[in-house]
Amino acid sequence: MKTLLTEEQLGEGIRRLAAEIKKHYEGRPLTIIGVMIGSIVLLADLIRLLDMPMRVDLVKARSYREGSTRPGPLVINVDMLSESIQGRDVLLVDDIFDTGRTLWELIPQIDDLGPMSVRSAVLLWKEGRREVAMKPDFAAFKIPNEFVVGYGLDYRDQYRNLPYVALLEPHEIGE
Ligand code: IMP
Ligand code: MG
């Protein structure tokens, strides 16, 4: 395992991300929706840097991946939202924009609930892997097309608790 982003670098990137988000919304109240499970660490750090009125909610998206890179069918559950988002500015927060399919499928489902606006913020963006006609609105770091873990991101449900982001080397990925 090789460190890609240290705790210090993550801290700086997330402060930059928070500043951009704050500037964009100019103090308007926001509903931040974390996409579980990968976003939980980012969500916890990000919301504490945003001194603006907000609600926080969660949805669950899971692509039943076999191993690291081959995505399986995507299951999204927006029914678990606890508050109405009608007329609200919504910011979806996810760990990584990889193929983009998660946000691409999630955004129309959120749109159906009648928000004023829907935007997306991610920690990591693997620019080269995009398969959909959208980009994240806010991204803290662009990273190369390699499999990463830590700071919420998992490999087979392991490593989410690492405080840094690391590259898994080919021999550590059992595919
Ligand atoms: P998407 O391909 O943009 O829809 O990304 C779907 C999900 O795949 C992300 O939210 C992550 O949970 C997972 N994922 C994509 N790339 C990586 C990675 O490098 N490490 C760990 N999880 C990843
Ligand atoms: Mg995820």
Side-chain angles (χ1 to χ4, degrees):
M1 203 179 289
K2 227 168 55 199
T3 302
L4 179 67
L5 296 163
T6 65
E7 283 189 70
E8 288 71 25
Q9 289 172 318
L10 287 169
E12 266 171 45
I14 292 156
R15 277 193 295 279
R16 276 197 313 270
L17 185 68
E20 262 184 68
I21 292 169
K22 252 185 78 172
K23 190 166 158 214
H24 179 85
Y25 290 101
E26 296 176 320
R28 296 200 303 278
L30 192 58
T31 295
I32 295 200
I33 300 179
V35 183
M36 290 206 293
I37 302 171
S39 71
I40 58 166
V41 183
L42 171 63
L43 189 67
D45 282 347
L46 182 63
I47 61 176
R48 286 179 292 173
L49 293 171
L50 292 171
D51 51 336
M52 56 195 279
M54 70 165 70
R55 295 179 186 163
V56 180
D57 218 327
L58 293 165
V59 293
K60 187 157 186 175
R62 189 169 173 107
S63 67
Y64 289 87
R65 282 171 189 253
E66 293 163 26
S68 59
T69 50
R70 268 167 293 131
L74 187 65
V75 178
I76 293 177
N77 186 355
V78 296
D79 296 338
M80 66 184 285
L81 285 175
S82 50
E83 287 280 343
S84 165
I85 57 168
Q86 187 145 27
R88 305 270 305 174
D89 285 310
V90 170
L91 181 66
L92 299 170
V93 172
D94 206 354
D95 50 1
I96 188 167
F97 189 99
D98 181 32
T99 66
R101 295 202 170 276
T102 305
L103 287 173
W104 179 253
E105 291 195 29
L106 176 57
I107 287 170
Q109 296 191 34
I110 294 290
D111 257 331
D112 284 348
L113 303 173
M116 167 110 85
S117 69
V118 183
R119 290 197 167 68
S120 58
V122 295
L123 179 72
L124 307 175
W125 180 9
K126 281 188 204 164
E127 234 178 335
R129 296 249 311 156
R130 187 159 65 97
E131 292 177 5
V132 297
M134 65 163 288
K135 295 173 181 178
D137 296 289
F138 308 96
F141 299 96
K142 290 181 181 171
I143 62 164
N145 177 18
E146 288 188 73
F147 197 78
V148 291
V149 294
Y151 200 77
L153 292 126
D154 74 301
Y155 173 61
R156 297 193 168 159
D157 287 324
Q158 294 293 309
Y159 310 115
R160 293 193 197 276
N161 55 323
L162 296 178
Y164 51 88
V165 171
L167 297 169
L168 276 193
E169 305 189 53
H171 72 270
E172 295 169 301
I173 301 176
E175 287 197 83

